[in-house]
Amino acid sequence: MVGASWPHYPPCVSEDCTNAACCGQEFKYVWPELIGKPASEAAEIIKKSNPAVTVLILKPGFIRLENFCCNRVYVFSDGNGRVSEVPTVG
């Protein structure tokens, strides 16, 4: 089971992958160009470039789960609703 055939998060899917590059064999898996963009706009860009993931926007103070998932991308936003960290599959 790879890529677009994965269920949308949850449940978490990682198979034997332990890093984003392993997950991104079919689709984009890292988005450094989204730093500073509005988080909601970034989420839409991520969904279009990788339909195998569910995008979760996290506001300041929210914490992420530490488990690794190939079908999840966290978008961390700052107090102004802009992307503050590079979104990456995981």
Side-chain angles (χ1 to χ4, degrees), residues 1-14 27 43 46-56 69-73:
M1 178 166 54
V2 176
S5 63
W6 289 334
H8 283 285
Y9 174 84
C12 177
V13 173
S14 61
F27 301 109
I46 293 167
K47 288 176 191 175
K48 287 180 184 174
S49 63
N50 187 337
V53 299
T54 294
V55 181
L56 303 167
C69 298
C70 285
N71 57 336
R72 175 182 66 204
V73 175

Short mmCIF file of all heavy atoms in Angstrom, two decimals, residues 1-14 27 43 46-56 69-73:
data_model
loop_
_atom_site.label_atom_id
_atom_site.label_comp_id
_atom_site.label_asym_id
_atom_site.label_seq_id
_atom_site.Cartn_x
_atom_site.Cartn_y
_atom_site.Cartn_z
N MET A 1 0.85 -1.18 0.00
CA MET A 1 0.00 0.00 0.00
C MET A 1 0.89 1.23 0.00
O MET A 1 1.68 1.43 0.90
CB MET A 1 -0.88 -0.03 1.24
CG MET A 1 -1.77 1.15 1.37
SD MET A 1 -3.10 0.95 2.58
CE MET A 1 -2.25 0.49 4.05
N VAL A 2 0.77 2.10 -1.00
CA VAL A 2 1.63 3.27 -1.10
C VAL A 2 0.82 4.48 -1.56
O VAL A 2 -0.08 4.38 -2.37
CB VAL A 2 2.78 3.02 -2.11
CG1 VAL A 2 3.62 4.26 -2.30
CG2 VAL A 2 3.66 1.88 -1.64
N GLY A 3 1.18 5.65 -1.02
CA GLY A 3 0.67 6.91 -1.50
C GLY A 3 -0.82 7.09 -1.44
O GLY A 3 -1.42 7.01 -0.39
N ALA A 4 -1.43 7.38 -2.58
CA ALA A 4 -2.84 7.75 -2.64
C ALA A 4 -3.77 6.66 -2.14
O ALA A 4 -4.92 6.92 -1.84
CB ALA A 4 -3.23 8.14 -4.06
N SER A 5 -3.29 5.43 -2.00
CA SER A 5 -4.15 4.36 -1.50
C SER A 5 -4.17 4.30 0.03
O SER A 5 -4.92 3.54 0.60
CB SER A 5 -3.70 3.01 -2.07
OG SER A 5 -2.39 2.70 -1.63
N TRP A 6 -3.35 5.13 0.70
CA TRP A 6 -3.37 5.16 2.16
C TRP A 6 -4.65 5.79 2.65
O TRP A 6 -5.19 6.69 2.01
CB TRP A 6 -2.21 5.98 2.69
CG TRP A 6 -0.87 5.36 2.52
CD1 TRP A 6 -0.57 4.04 2.42
CD2 TRP A 6 0.37 6.05 2.43
NE1 TRP A 6 0.77 3.86 2.28
CE2 TRP A 6 1.37 5.08 2.28
CE3 TRP A 6 0.72 7.39 2.45
CZ2 TRP A 6 2.72 5.42 2.17
CZ3 TRP A 6 2.05 7.71 2.35
CH2 TRP A 6 3.03 6.74 2.21
N PRO A 7 -5.16 5.35 3.79
CA PRO A 7 -6.33 6.01 4.36
C PRO A 7 -5.94 7.39 4.86
O PRO A 7 -4.79 7.62 5.24
CB PRO A 7 -6.72 5.10 5.53
CG PRO A 7 -5.44 4.44 5.92
CD PRO A 7 -4.66 4.27 4.64
N HIS A 8 -6.87 8.33 4.81
CA HIS A 8 -6.58 9.65 5.37
C HIS A 8 -6.42 9.52 6.86
O HIS A 8 -7.08 8.72 7.51
CB HIS A 8 -7.67 10.65 5.00
CG HIS A 8 -7.54 11.12 3.59
ND1 HIS A 8 -6.58 12.01 3.20
CD2 HIS A 8 -8.22 10.79 2.48
CE1 HIS A 8 -6.68 12.23 1.91
NE2 HIS A 8 -7.67 11.49 1.44
N TYR A 9 -5.51 10.29 7.41
CA TYR A 9 -5.19 10.26 8.84
C TYR A 9 -6.40 10.70 9.64
O TYR A 9 -7.04 11.67 9.28
CB TYR A 9 -4.02 11.21 9.10
CG TYR A 9 -3.70 11.37 10.56
CD1 TYR A 9 -2.89 10.44 11.20
CD2 TYR A 9 -4.21 12.42 11.30
CE1 TYR A 9 -2.61 10.57 12.54
CE2 TYR A 9 -3.93 12.54 12.63
CZ TYR A 9 -3.12 11.63 13.25
OH TYR A 9 -2.84 11.75 14.57
N PRO A 10 -6.73 10.11 10.81
CA PRO A 10 -6.23 8.83 11.26
C PRO A 10 -6.93 7.70 10.54
O PRO A 10 -7.97 7.94 9.97
CB PRO A 10 -6.55 8.83 12.74
CG PRO A 10 -7.69 9.77 12.92
CD PRO A 10 -7.64 10.73 11.75
N PRO A 11 -6.47 6.51 10.53
CA PRO A 11 -5.34 5.99 11.30
C PRO A 11 -4.01 6.36 10.66
O PRO A 11 -3.94 6.66 9.47
CB PRO A 11 -5.55 4.48 11.24
CG PRO A 11 -6.24 4.25 9.95
CD PRO A 11 -7.13 5.45 9.75
N CYS A 12 -3.00 6.32 11.48
CA CYS A 12 -1.64 6.64 11.05
C CYS A 12 -1.10 5.50 10.18
O CYS A 12 -1.25 4.33 10.51
CB CYS A 12 -0.77 6.81 12.28
SG CYS A 12 0.96 7.12 11.90
N VAL A 13 -0.46 5.87 9.07
CA VAL A 13 0.19 4.89 8.20
C VAL A 13 1.65 5.30 8.04
O VAL A 13 1.94 6.45 7.73
CB VAL A 13 -0.49 4.85 6.80
CG1 VAL A 13 0.30 3.96 5.86
CG2 VAL A 13 -1.91 4.39 6.91
N SER A 14 2.54 4.37 8.26
CA SER A 14 3.95 4.67 8.02
C SER A 14 4.68 3.48 7.40
O SER A 14 5.80 3.63 6.95
CB SER A 14 4.66 5.10 9.31
OG SER A 14 4.61 4.08 10.27
N PHE A 27 4.64 11.56 -4.25
CA PHE A 27 4.18 12.94 -4.11
C PHE A 27 5.21 13.78 -3.37
O PHE A 27 6.13 13.26 -2.74
CB PHE A 27 2.86 12.98 -3.32
CG PHE A 27 1.75 12.20 -3.95
CD1 PHE A 27 1.31 11.02 -3.37
CD2 PHE A 27 1.14 12.63 -5.11
CE1 PHE A 27 0.29 10.29 -3.94
CE2 PHE A 27 0.12 11.91 -5.69
CZ PHE A 27 -0.31 10.73 -5.10
N ALA A 43 -2.24 24.97 3.62
CA ALA A 43 -2.93 23.67 3.71
C ALA A 43 -3.51 23.28 2.36
O ALA A 43 -3.42 22.11 1.95
CB ALA A 43 -4.03 23.72 4.77
N ILE A 46 -0.69 22.16 0.02
CA ILE A 46 -0.21 20.82 0.39
C ILE A 46 -1.19 19.76 -0.09
O ILE A 46 -0.78 18.75 -0.67
CB ILE A 46 0.01 20.73 1.92
CG1 ILE A 46 1.17 21.63 2.32
CG2 ILE A 46 0.25 19.28 2.34
CD1 ILE A 46 1.29 21.86 3.81
N LYS A 47 -2.48 19.96 0.12
CA LYS A 47 -3.50 18.99 -0.30
C LYS A 47 -3.45 18.75 -1.81
O LYS A 47 -3.63 17.62 -2.28
CB LYS A 47 -4.89 19.46 0.09
CG LYS A 47 -5.15 19.38 1.58
CD LYS A 47 -6.53 19.96 1.88
CE LYS A 47 -6.73 20.17 3.36
NZ LYS A 47 -8.00 20.83 3.66
N LYS A 48 -3.22 19.82 -2.59
CA LYS A 48 -3.17 19.69 -4.05
C LYS A 48 -1.92 18.95 -4.50
O LYS A 48 -1.96 18.19 -5.46
CB LYS A 48 -3.23 21.06 -4.71
CG LYS A 48 -4.60 21.68 -4.64
CD LYS A 48 -4.62 23.04 -5.30
CE LYS A 48 -5.99 23.68 -5.14
NZ LYS A 48 -6.02 25.04 -5.64
N SER A 49 -0.80 19.18 -3.81
CA SER A 49 0.45 18.56 -4.25
C SER A 49 0.67 17.16 -3.67
O SER A 49 1.54 16.43 -4.14
CB SER A 49 1.65 19.45 -3.92
OG SER A 49 1.78 19.63 -2.54
N ASN A 50 -0.12 16.81 -2.64
CA ASN A 50 -0.01 15.46 -2.07
C ASN A 50 -1.39 15.02 -1.55
O ASN A 50 -1.71 15.22 -0.38
CB ASN A 50 1.02 15.40 -0.94
CG ASN A 50 1.27 13.99 -0.47
OD1 ASN A 50 0.44 13.11 -0.64
ND2 ASN A 50 2.42 13.76 0.14
N PRO A 51 -2.19 14.40 -2.41
CA PRO A 51 -3.54 13.97 -1.99
C PRO A 51 -3.54 12.80 -1.01
O PRO A 51 -4.60 12.42 -0.51
CB PRO A 51 -4.21 13.59 -3.31
CG PRO A 51 -3.08 13.24 -4.22
CD PRO A 51 -1.93 14.12 -3.81
N ALA A 52 -2.37 12.24 -0.70
CA ALA A 52 -2.30 11.10 0.21
C ALA A 52 -2.25 11.51 1.67
O ALA A 52 -2.24 10.66 2.55
CB ALA A 52 -1.06 10.25 -0.12
N VAL A 53 -2.21 12.83 1.95
CA VAL A 53 -2.08 13.28 3.33
C VAL A 53 -3.30 14.06 3.80
O VAL A 53 -4.05 14.61 3.02
CB VAL A 53 -0.82 14.16 3.53
CG1 VAL A 53 0.44 13.38 3.19
CG2 VAL A 53 -0.90 15.45 2.74
N THR A 54 -3.44 14.08 5.12
CA THR A 54 -4.38 14.96 5.78
C THR A 54 -3.55 16.06 6.42
O THR A 54 -2.53 15.80 7.05
CB THR A 54 -5.18 14.21 6.87
OG1 THR A 54 -6.00 13.23 6.22
CG2 THR A 54 -6.05 15.14 7.69
N VAL A 55 -3.97 17.31 6.22
CA VAL A 55 -3.24 18.45 6.75
C VAL A 55 -3.91 18.94 8.02
O VAL A 55 -5.13 19.16 8.04
CB VAL A 55 -3.18 19.59 5.70
CG1 VAL A 55 -2.40 20.78 6.26
CG2 VAL A 55 -2.56 19.10 4.40
N LEU A 56 -3.12 19.11 9.07
CA LEU A 56 -3.62 19.61 10.34
C LEU A 56 -2.91 20.92 10.67
O LEU A 56 -1.68 20.95 10.75
CB LEU A 56 -3.36 18.59 11.45
CG LEU A 56 -3.94 17.20 11.22
CD1 LEU A 56 -3.37 16.21 12.21
CD2 LEU A 56 -5.45 17.26 11.35
N CYS A 69 3.82 9.54 10.80
CA CYS A 69 2.76 9.09 9.89
C CYS A 69 3.02 9.61 8.48
O CYS A 69 3.17 10.82 8.28
CB CYS A 69 1.40 9.60 10.35
SG CYS A 69 0.89 9.02 11.95
N CYS A 70 3.02 8.72 7.52
CA CYS A 70 3.21 9.12 6.12
C CYS A 70 1.98 9.83 5.55
O CYS A 70 2.07 10.44 4.49
CB CYS A 70 3.52 7.90 5.26
SG CYS A 70 5.20 7.29 5.45
N ASN A 71 0.87 9.74 6.22
CA ASN A 71 -0.37 10.32 5.69
C ASN A 71 -0.82 11.54 6.50
O ASN A 71 -1.98 11.87 6.54
CB ASN A 71 -1.48 9.26 5.63
CG ASN A 71 -1.76 8.60 6.96
OD1 ASN A 71 -0.92 8.55 7.85
ND2 ASN A 71 -2.95 8.04 7.09
N ARG A 72 0.17 12.24 7.12
CA ARG A 72 -0.16 13.42 7.92
C ARG A 72 0.89 14.51 7.71
O ARG A 72 2.08 14.23 7.60
CB ARG A 72 -0.18 13.03 9.40
CG ARG A 72 -0.41 14.20 10.34
CD ARG A 72 -0.36 13.77 11.79
NE ARG A 72 0.98 13.32 12.14
CZ ARG A 72 1.23 12.48 13.13
NH1 ARG A 72 0.27 11.97 13.86
NH2 ARG A 72 2.48 12.13 13.40
N VAL A 73 0.41 15.75 7.65
CA VAL A 73 1.31 16.92 7.62
C VAL A 73 0.77 17.92 8.64
O VAL A 73 -0.41 18.28 8.60
CB VAL A 73 1.35 17.59 6.23
CG1 VAL A 73 2.18 18.86 6.28
CG2 VAL A 73 1.89 16.63 5.18
#
